[in-house]
Amino acid sequence: MKKEKVLERIIRVASELFYKQGYNSTGINQIIAEADIAIGSLYNHFSSKNDLLQAYLIKEELGWFEGYENSISRVSDPKEKLLTLIDYRKKLQQASKFAGCHFIKIVSEIGEGNPSVSTFAIQHKEKQKDLIRTLANEYGTEAKLADTDSIADHIFLLIEGAVVTSTINKQTDSFDEIKKIVQGLLP
């Protein structure tokens, strides 16, 4: 088994804590203790807790898109890729025990108090929307649909709503429902 590097361990531990208990409720001393490192090791890699937060968000974004790419690796049909995206988000909710979206959580906790964080979260959601738009356009070209931008916006909003609903209800029913709706949007 490959030994985890200090930098990777710091980011992993901080990520788990930020997601599980919140950024504001997580202290540097807790990260140091749970990562089992010296304080100097943390500050050799990160000059502040905010820098660590940025690393967390980057890690989560890369993981999100990598996970989606892995989930569609054998799917070629654009409609199936969109439906697989719904299944992927459902799987993320189940795996997190309905803890919700990393980016929604951090923005709701920090708000406008940290513009770089809110900007990063907005950009992340825009990348997700662009992904949906690309797939909707591909499908629209094949199916000769006119308004794929509107369809993409609807799918994005449905998925985001399902994430929030499943976080509140601790169930995946909302994903099953929006999958039916999306199938209706994509004849």
Side-chain angles (χ1 to χ4, degrees), residues 6 9-14 17 30-38:
V6 172
R9 187 167 61 238
I10 294 168
I11 294 171
R12 178 184 53 79
V13 168
L17 292 171
Q30 182 183 16
I31 295 168
I32 291 166
E34 293 198 24
D36 195 26
I37 58 168

Side-chain angles (χ1 to χ4, degrees), residues 111-161:
E112 297 295 317
N114 188 328
S116 65
V117 169
S118 56
T119 298
F120 190 93
I122 289 167
Q123 290 171 345
H124 172 75
K125 292 299 181 181
E126 286 300 320
K127 287 178 188 176
Q128 288 180 353
K129 195 184 293 187
D130 289 344
L131 169 74
I132 294 168
R133 186 171 286 112
T134 298
L135 295 173
N137 287 335
E138 286 176 24
Y139 177 75
T141 300
E142 289 178 10
K144 305 208 184 327
L145 296 177
D147 191 10
T148 55
D149 282 346
S150 178
I151 290 171
D153 288 343
H154 291 136
I155 293 170
F156 173 78
L157 291 171
L158 286 166
I159 292 171
E160 292 301 305

Side-chain angles (χ1 to χ4, degrees), residues 11 15 18-19 52-60 102 106:
I11 294 171
S15 296
F18 291 163
Y19 187 59
L52 189 50
L53 175 60
Q54 291 292 335
Y56 158 68
L57 294 173
I58 291 167
K59 173 188 169 289
E60 293 308 323
H102 298 270
I106 199 68

Side-chain angles (χ1 to χ4, degrees), residues 15-124:
S15 296
E16 290 168 1
L17 292 171
F18 291 163
Y19 187 59
K20 181 173 67 176
Q21 66 190 34
Y23 174 76
N24 291 330
S25 297
T26 301
I28 290 294
N29 291 336
Q30 182 183 16
I31 295 168
I32 291 166
E34 293 198 24
D36 195 26
I37 58 168
I39 192 168
S41 294
L42 180 94
Y43 287 109
N44 282 339
H45 296 287
F46 300 99
S47 61
S48 68
K49 184 178 167 188
N50 191 58
D51 287 347
L52 189 50
L53 175 60
Q54 291 292 335
Y56 158 68
L57 294 173
I58 291 167
K59 173 188 169 289
E60 293 308 323
E61 179 171 80
L62 293 173
W64 193 98
F65 283 101
E66 182 180 309
Y68 175 68
E69 289 299 321
N70 290 339
S71 71
I72 63 158
S73 63
R74 292 189 167 88
V75 179
S76 59
D77 179 61
K79 180 178 181 178
E80 285 305 311
K81 286 181 180 181
L82 284 164
L83 296 174
T84 301
L85 173 59
I86 296 167
D87 293 336
Y88 174 62
R89 295 298 295 268
K90 178 180 177 177
K91 184 179 107 182
L92 289 177
Q93 279 295 90
Q94 290 168 322
S96 74
K97 296 183 175 73
F98 303 98
C101 170
H102 298 270
F103 300 91
I104 293 171
K105 286 177 77 157
I106 199 68
V107 167
S108 67
E109 182 178 3
I110 293 179
E112 297 295 317
N114 188 328
S116 65
V117 169
S118 56
T119 298
F120 190 93
I122 289 167
Q123 290 171 345
H124 172 75

